[in-house]
Amino acid sequence: MAIRNIVKDGDPILKKKCRPVEKFDKKLADLLDDMAQTMHKANGVGLAAPQVGILRRLAVVDVGEGVIELVNPKIIAYSGEQDGLEGCLSFPGQWGYTRRPEYVKVKAQNRKGEEFTVEGRELLARAFCHELDHLDGIVFKDVADRLLTPQEVEELEKS
Ligand code: ZN
């Protein structure tokens, strides 16, 4: 396993659409392992492949209940809404208020190519939406209602 470099704000790769994963091989397993390790090291709750420079449809999420690996994920149901503050490992020091569904159901494949569904509410639902957006070149700043000012960020990061 290895820590990968996280692509930062301004890199055009964050605006690109990812292609589906077609090969469920050791390379994919290694990438998923590396992404989970990279996410944990950076204290993130999710990481999508373009954030480590790879334009393929996969992401990892961990809101404190264990790592969920999502290969070729799709949101197949959602309901409700939640407003909350969102950040991103690719945008250090930037935060914004986004509206997301309160509940989402995701269909994906695991590292072996087997299909499964997973449901999330609150933070997990938010993380699924955020990471899946990355796979279509959409970042939280594109969907935020309002970004925090530098003063607000300072207050937030102090607390
Ligand atoms: Zn992100």
Side-chain angles (χ1 to χ4, degrees):
M1 295 218 288
I3 302 288
R4 305 237 179 171
N5 271 332
I6 298 178
V7 168
K8 295 287 176 3
D9 190 5
D11 192 314
I13 202 163
L14 293 172
K15 296 279 178 196
K16 290 188 179 153
K17 215 170 148 74
C18 297
R19 285 172 297 147
V21 172
E22 281 153 5
K23 281 192 204 154
F24 295 83
D25 54 7
K26 183 169 185 301
K27 205 174 151 197
L28 175 67
D30 288 347
L31 174 59
L32 285 162
D33 288 341
D34 287 357
M35 283 172 61
Q37 201 183 15
T38 303
M39 166 181 68
H40 286 144
K41 175 94 190 298
N43 292 316
V45 298
L47 191 69
Q51 292 182 277
V52 292
I54 290 168
L55 286 171
R56 290 286 180 177
R57 304 192 73 84
L58 70 149
V60 293
V61 169
D62 186 351
V63 296
E65 296 159 2
V67 177
I68 301 170
E69 298 174 347
L70 301 168
V71 180
N72 298 325
K74 274 195 185 100
I75 292 176
I76 55 168
Y78 63 92
S79 65
E81 55 186 35
Q82 56 172 321
D83 288 304
L85 207 46
E86 207 166 301
C88 178
L89 293 177
S90 294
F91 297 83
Q94 300 184 52
W95 297 86
Y97 286 99
T98 58
R99 176 164 292 179
R100 301 286 194 183
E102 192 276 331
Y103 162 88
V104 300
K105 185 175 188 179
V106 174
K107 183 173 164 184
Q109 285 166 285
N110 65 16
R111 60 170 67 197
K112 294 181 199 154
E114 298 158 346
E115 281 192 351
F116 68 98
T117 60
V118 57
E119 297 173 296
R121 293 188 176 277
E122 298 176 9
L123 179 60
L124 186 54
R126 176 176 291 284
F128 286 154
C129 294
H130 179 116
E131 299 314 327
L132 268 64
D133 271 356
H134 272 300
L135 307 182
D136 290 317
I138 297 163
V139 299
F140 80 100
K141 288 170 71 174
D142 300 330
V143 297
D145 297 320
R146 184 174 83 80
L147 296 176
L148 292 195
T149 64
Q151 276 119 316
E152 287 172 318
V153 171
E154 206 178 304
E155 293 289 310
L156 177 78
E157 294 187 344
K158 249 193 285 171
S159 61

